[in-house]
């Protein structure tokens, strides 16, 4: 409903759409907080914006903090250049992480790839090649230390992705993170970004490249890659003359 003037209150159960609006609404107010503010079960400052976060943690939107949305997350401390203890795992030569053995590896892998994807955006914004992002080139983006621990324990299981019609043969499943890594590797080959060199002139725009790679990978992984590269993550018809 519409108020007669801005100074008039809205009826009970309604609120003004904005401070300068005459209209009243019963829709809930949009969240004004960043995800790390209303999802975080734990957080701590990062030593630098470009630093990777440890197991189950992701970088905040301003890259100044690591936060996690899971209950009972691992214990984490800065290594400060010193060796980690016998019950701790060295992550990215930066963190000493412990008390994570209750978590499935797939949960750590999912958060790790999310953090890696954020730092790809930061590298692009700062004009740095993707090779400067810790974890670049690995088949998954969790720290080598964490992956080695789970592998030694026989617990290195990932979230299996449904194979595409033209993808791997039956029984040859890959995780969503591995699919995304495969797509990003293809992206680097098509754009030359991994070498830090400008891409050669091509018919493909960034949007078309993103769509092509996203379509090749398929599924949620393909959609995410396509979105990251400016495309829709779906196959598009080849343009005339390309």
């Amino acid at each position: 409903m519409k108020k007669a003037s801005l100074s008039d209150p809205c009826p009970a159960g309604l609120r003004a759409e904005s401070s300068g609006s005459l209209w009243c609404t019963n829709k809930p107010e949009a969240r004004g907080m960043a995800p790390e503010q209303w999802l975080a079960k734990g957080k701590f400052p990062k030593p630098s914006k470009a630093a990777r976060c440890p197991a189950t943690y992701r970088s905040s939107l301003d890259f100044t903090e690591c936060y996690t949305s899971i209950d009972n997350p691992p214990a984490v401390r800065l290594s400060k250049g010193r060796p980690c203890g016998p019950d701790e795992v060295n992550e990215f030569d930066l963190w000493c992480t412990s008390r994570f053995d209750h978590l499935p590896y797939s949960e750590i892998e999912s958060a790790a790839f999310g953090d890696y994807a954020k730092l790809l955006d930061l590298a692009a914004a700062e004009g740095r090649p993707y090779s400067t992002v810790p974890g670049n080139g690995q088949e998954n983006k969790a720290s080598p230390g964490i992956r080695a621990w789970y592998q030694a324990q026989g617990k290195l299981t990932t979230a299996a992705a449904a194979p595409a019609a033209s993808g791997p043969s039956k029984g040859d499943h890959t995780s969503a993170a591995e699919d995304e890594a495969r797509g990003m590797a293809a992206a680097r080959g098509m754009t030359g970004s991994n070498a830090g060199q400008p891409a050669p002139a091509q018919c493909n725009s960034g949007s078309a490249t993103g769509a092509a790679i996203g379509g090749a990978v398929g599924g949620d992984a393909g959609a995410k890659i396509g979105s990251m590269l400016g495309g829709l993550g779906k196959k598009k018809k080849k343009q005339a003359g390309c």
Side-chain angles (χ1 to χ4, degrees), residues 141-194:
K141 307 305 175 186
S143 67
I146 284 288
R147 179 180 173 86
W149 188 92
Y150 275 87
Q151 190 165 26
Q153 299 296 319
K155 298 180 179 180
L156 192 66
T157 55
T158 63
S166 58
S169 60
K170 186 176 181 181
D172 186 17
H173 296 289
T174 56
S175 71
E178 289 169 336
D179 282 345
E180 290 170 357
R182 177 164 52 87
M184 289 304 300
R188 289 192 293 272
M190 295 176 70
T191 64
S193 57
N194 190 40

Side-chain angles (χ1 to χ4, degrees), residues 29-131:
E29 191 169 1
R31 289 187 185 271
M33 296 186 294
E36 60 267 23
Q37 290 177 293
W38 54 274
L39 283 176
K41 301 291 180 64
K43 60 182 179 179
F44 46 78
K46 297 175 63 173
S48 69
K49 286 189 173 183
R52 284 290 305 274
C53 288
T56 74
Y57 285 82
R58 304 172 190 240
S59 297
S60 59
L61 291 179
D62 62 2
F63 299 99
T64 62
E65 293 181 313
C66 293
Y67 77 95
T68 183
S69 59
I70 71 167
D71 293 314
N72 196 18
V76 178
R77 66 177 179 87
L78 278 170
S79 65
K80 298 182 179 179
R82 298 176 182 175
C84 295
D87 61 338
E88 297 176 317
V89 169
N90 181 318
E91 291 203 78
F92 305 113
D93 291 325
L94 185 61
W95 310 100
C96 290
T97 305
S98 61
R99 300 205 294 270
F100 55 83
D101 55 327
H102 61 288
L103 297 168
Y105 181 75
S106 57
E107 188 162 20
I108 292 177
E109 179 189 53
S110 176
F113 195 91
D115 185 52
Y116 173 77
K118 282 187 175 181
L119 291 183
L120 287 181
D121 291 340
L122 178 64
E126 294 180 344
R128 292 185 285 108
Y130 291 156
S131 58

